[in-house]
Amino acid sequence: MNLLSTNKLGAISLIVGPTLAFIMFLIQPGGILIDSTPGSDAMGLIGVWQANAVLVKITSGFIMLGLMLMAFGIYEVHVAHRGSRGDGLNMAGLAALSLGVLVWLILQSLTITLASSYPPQEALLPVYTVRTSLLLSGGVAVSLGITLFAFSVLIDYRGLKFSILTWLAALAGLVGMAEWIVAIFNSDAMDSATAVARGMYIVYVVWLATLGVRLAREEEAQE
């Protein structure tokens, strides 16, 4: 077994990357578990970040690492199934996911900036506004990417249990995309809509990790 093969590294990345990003998101201050603050409360959230600057910077760094690993893993799934029946949807999903990951990498960089003491007070709200725009647009891109990628996998893979999980991932992607769009067009519903959209991450993480395991098994079967 070649642990340094691209397929094997891609499989490991799909298992570790989304899981790492999700865990770090849970413990990032201002989020779910530590000093939870609504996203609509800009100054409240910035205050939480600056009061927990070290943890914010650490979690943001690991979230970025997890997102990059996820992108690499998804790319390797695409390469492994290039020319398959679902190749068109596969490529479209990869493009949307890659765009969403890039946007969210920039978002985490801005989070680090807002958690620091050097930005002038008058710059905080404009930077936060840009960050919020990136959060919402990146959410749409990632959810769309998951949906397209899941449908491409349904075309290529067989197996009842995995098909059920993949259908759940596709449905979660559609729900997530709808909620991100609601948050974009209805600022009053932003907090509740983003909460539902983020809840879909649990399905994404489980599905991507399972996809990573299957990618590893594919290579083992060819050896």
Side-chain angles (χ1 to χ4, degrees):
M1 182 184 299
N2 182 7
L3 291 177
L4 294 181
S5 69
T6 54
N7 267 20
K8 194 67 66 175
L9 286 175
I12 294 172
S13 296
L14 269 182
I15 296 168
V16 174
T19 304
L20 175 63
F22 183 65
I23 292 173
M24 291 298 105
F25 169 74
L26 288 177
I27 65 174
Q28 188 172 64
I32 305 299
L33 299 179
I34 301 176
D35 292 335
S36 181
T37 306
S40 57
D41 183 6
M43 295 312 298
L45 196 49
I46 292 171
V48 169
W49 289 339
Q50 293 188 344
N52 301 274
V54 173
L55 183 56
V56 169
K57 293 174 183 179
I58 291 172
T59 53
S60 287
F62 278 113
I63 288 172
M64 288 191 282
L65 174 61
L67 289 173
M68 288 186 286
L69 289 173
M70 181 183 78
F72 171 70
I74 290 172
Y75 173 74
E76 285 308 315
V77 173
H78 167 70
V79 170
H81 293 266
R82 186 173 291 163
S84 64
R85 291 177 300 170
D87 190 43
L89 285 176
N90 195 290
M91 188 63 203
L94 174 64
L97 275 166
S98 299
L99 175 61
V101 166
L102 176 60
V103 169
W104 278 357
L105 289 175
I106 299 172
L107 178 153
Q108 290 301 326
S109 297
L110 294 180
T111 303
I112 292 173
T113 298
L114 291 170
S116 303
S117 58
Y118 57 80
Q121 190 70 21
E122 61 271 16
L124 295 178
L125 279 178
V127 172
Y128 185 83
T129 300
V130 172
R131 181 193 178 277
T132 301
S133 298
L134 294 176
L135 170 67
L136 301 178
S137 58
V140 173
V142 168
S143 299
L144 174 61
I146 289 288
T147 301
L148 295 174
F149 211 84
F151 281 128
S152 77
V153 170
L154 281 169
I155 294 172
D156 290 335
Y157 283 97
R158 295 293 180 268
L160 179 60
K161 291 182 179 179
F162 185 65
S163 292
I164 292 173
L165 182 57
T166 304
W167 274 111
L168 287 175
L171 178 61
L174 289 171
V175 172
M177 184 166 52
E179 292 298 326
W180 286 119
I181 292 173
V182 168
I184 289 172
F185 286 97
N186 185 0
S187 57
D188 292 334
M190 186 181 75
D191 291 333
S192 58
T194 55
V196 173
R198 285 169 167 170
M200 300 300 106
Y201 295 179
I202 300 173
V203 181
Y204 301 165
V205 171
V206 173
W207 177 65
L208 289 170
T210 306
L211 189 60
V213 172
R214 291 180 71 94
L215 181 62
R217 288 176 178 172
E218 283 179 6
E219 183 176 49
E220 291 172 2
Q222 294 171 0
E223 292 176 349

